[in-house]
Amino acid sequence: AKEAGRGCFRVYDAALHEVHEQKRDLETALHDAIEGDQFVLHFQPKVCSHTRAIVGREALIRWNRPGRGMVYPDNFIPVAEQSLLINDIGRWTIRAACEAAIKWDANETVAVNLSARQFLDPDLVEDIRNILHETGLNPSRLELEITETALILNKQLAATILMQLKAIGIKIALDDFGTGYSSMSYVQSFPFDRLKIDRSFVAAMNGDRKSRAIVEAIISLAHSLDIPVVAEGVETEEQASLLRSLLCEEIQGFLIARPEPFILSEQADPKSARS
Ligand code: C2E
Ligand code: CA
Ligand code: CA
Ligand code: CA
């Protein structure tokens, strides 16, 4: 039994070693990705639930990894978050999003996702200030999407950062709303410009009475605090019409448009078409 136990332990060790190795390789590849300009942004519109007019676009990062094709954020952002790589990726993302938005209709906002670590980066506010200055984007057109995780870690610091961002004129959205632990207290104590209902509730809404009740509760909570609501992951007309009847201001999802590269003709570059 002792022998077998030790054997198991060795197998476990080897597996753990493998995992560490893979993580290190991924970190190295991510480092090269930053240097080598391998990230791209796709944009997904947010529209008015009544008129379907575009009010803004959310930037979603993708990694054009050489030899591996398009890698989606869930497969590399968590690893980047465990190191300082996320801060470099984040700065790149904010800049690329602002550079894109400057070419759009001036009424449309651009939303950028920030992970907790990025949000708490002491250089964030100054970096954003510089990026806005250099790109010339009106701060009111930039919206940062943060999750509760960013606020839980250090409530005091988070409040200070939010105030500084708001003072610049930037908008703040609370993302994935309803999936966290103490969402209620956060909407009350932080100055959000928007709440985003998580797509898990939207997906379950039409069939399931309880999910629908949660969506209704989120919308009425937000409205009682004068905060407009965006529903993400809207895939069907049924969902869209229910959300409209619940007075949800904006919707986003495959029903309206999938995330896609925002290509203006002058940007068309044969090099970026390679895979
Ligand atoms: P999220 O912010 O909740 O973004 C919504 C995700 O749902 C996106 O996945 C989007 O492509 C997908 N989606 C949009 N509409 C629909 C729909 O109708 N149905 C379904 N099934 N899915 C829909 P994506 O692009 O893979 O991003 C996943 C997550 O990665 C994002 O979740 C966000 O948390 C994170 N992320 C994306 N870009 C960035 C970034 O630049 N920086 C950071 N820190 N995180 C990012
Ligand atoms: Ca988001
Ligand atoms: Ca979400
Ligand atoms: Ca998310």
Side-chain angles (χ1 to χ4, degrees):
K2 208 173 173 189
E3 277 304 300
R6 219 165 1 181
C8 281
F9 198 67
R10 236 175 262 132
V11 169
Y12 174 75
D13 248 12
L16 199 64
H17 182 75
E18 179 76 7
V19 167
H20 280 303
E21 195 108 293
Q22 274 175 15
K23 200 179 136 200
R24 247 212 344 258
D25 289 351
L26 186 56
E27 280 176 1
T28 310
L30 279 171
H31 190 82
D32 294 346
I34 295 166
E35 306 279 297
D37 232 356
Q38 295 167 9
F39 294 114
V40 286
L41 291 184
H42 284 189
F43 294 92
Q44 187 181 36
K46 297 181 194 177
V47 303
C48 168
S49 65
H50 282 270
T51 64
R52 305 252 166 124
I54 294 179
V55 293
R57 296 170 204 273
E58 177 178 2
L60 295 157
I61 196 169
R62 276 93 182 84
W63 175 19
N64 219 326
R65 189 173 180 185
R68 310 255 185 132
M70 197 72 97
V71 186
Y72 286 82
D74 289 338
N75 295 316
F76 66 89
I77 291 289
V79 168
E81 270 170 4
Q82 289 169 33
S83 70
L84 290 172
L85 285 166
I86 193 64
N87 293 332
D88 290 330
I89 295 175
R91 268 186 290 274
W92 177 86
T93 307
I94 296 167
R95 182 179 296 276
C98 292
E99 282 171 355
I102 203 81
K103 299 172 184 164
W104 307 340
D105 186 306
N107 294 313
E108 295 169 11
T109 58
V110 63
V112 176
N113 292 284
L114 285 193
S115 61
R117 182 154 197 173
Q118 255 178 289
F119 179 73
L120 298 170
D121 175 3
D123 295 331
L124 177 79
V125 176
E126 194 52 34
D127 287 344
I128 293 182
R129 219 195 296 272
N130 289 335
I131 291 170
L132 288 169
H133 183 73
E134 285 158 28
T135 59
L137 188 76
N138 185 326
S140 67
R141 292 185 58 202
L142 177 62
E143 184 166 84
L144 301 177
E145 297 194 356
I146 61 172
T147 61
E148 234 177 76
T149 321
L151 308 171
I152 283 171
L153 295 175
N154 186 338
K155 238 185 144 173
Q156 206 71 46
L157 178 59
T160 307
I161 295 170
L162 278 183
M163 287 311 171
Q164 289 173 339
L165 293 168
K166 298 281 293 183
I168 301 174
I170 293 164
K171 301 285 190 285
I172 310 288
L174 184 56
D175 207 352
D176 295 350
F177 189 74
T179 59
Y181 293 105
S182 37
S183 309
M184 295 293 173
S185 67
Y186 288 107
V187 274
Q188 187 207 13
S189 41
F190 293 103
F192 298 109
D193 297 286
R194 248 183 200 71
L195 286 193
K196 290 194 85 170
I197 302 180
D198 192 64
R199 114 172 159 243
S200 56
F201 300 114
V202 175
M205 191 177 58
N206 287 72
D208 166 16
R209 212 166 38 82
K210 289 179 184 168
S211 298
R212 189 195 149 133
I214 291 174
V215 170
E216 279 192 61
I218 292 173
I219 295 171
S220 65
L221 168 74
H223 287 175
S224 68
L225 296 164
D226 293 319
I227 306 173
V229 182
V230 193
E232 65 173 27
V234 178
E235 294 183 354
T236 67
E237 286 294 348
E238 285 84 351
Q239 291 164 349
S241 92
L242 184 52
L243 288 161
R244 194 173 54 238
S245 72
L246 296 175
L247 306 178
C248 176
E249 281 86 353
E250 294 165 15
I251 58 174
Q252 188 182 19
F254 294 169
L255 174 69
I256 307 299
R258 289 182 176 257
E260 50 188 39
F262 194 88
I263 302 173
L264 291 172
S265 41
E266 84 243 30
Q267 282 186 311
D269 174 1
K271 274 193 308 230
S272 64
R274 98 201 122 87
S275 67

